[in-house]
Amino acid sequence: GEEAVAWPRSLAGVSERELRGAETLLLKSRGISDADCGVLAPFLAQNTALRELYIGYNAFGDEGSKLLCEALAKAAAGDEGQRLRLLGLRRCRLGDAAAQAVAELIRS
């Protein structure tokens, strides 16, 4: 069933099913904030099919990117884990902590 999470306006038209199971997610230029990343992350953590995540040109920074990277690392764990090939973060508000989170994701 649908959880009673307030669905962010930045994710309008994107279904929970897509977030959990799509191979490619196009989430560019939606004004996704750090808080919105907190809504996204649990779904991405369940998506073992994801190969390409385009999430550039958004408003999130270090906090949001850390949440996303942790979720993606969770989805990548295990034998049936997701094998992400592309993570597009162009023109988000990323600092050193985001770079660290992405580096840890690459190592995982």
Side-chain angles (χ1 to χ4, degrees), residues 27-96:
L27 301 175
K28 283 163 61 173
S29 304
R30 288 176 157 266
I32 295 171
S33 67
D34 286 324
D36 298 345
C37 288
V39 174
L40 260 176
F43 298 108
L44 294 180
Q46 297 170 34
N47 187 337
T48 56
L50 191 63
R51 297 293 175 269
E52 299 181 348
L53 174 58
Y54 297 89
I55 196 163
Y57 300 90
N58 279 299
F60 64 86
D62 289 352
E63 186 186 328
S65 56
K66 190 166 185 283
L67 290 168
L68 293 177
C69 287
E70 286 169 358
L72 293 168
K74 251 184 216 147
D79 295 339
E80 295 300 307
Q82 145 264 90
R83 298 286 171 259
L84 193 69
R85 286 194 308 246
L86 190 147
L87 176 59
L89 289 168
R90 182 176 293 166
R91 289 191 184 247
C92 293
R93 298 180 182 148
L94 309 182
D96 293 343

Side-chain angles (χ1 to χ4, degrees), residues 69 73 76 99-108:
C69 287
Q100 182 73 35
V102 172
E104 285 169 19
L105 175 63
I106 291 167
R107 282 197 291 267
S108 69

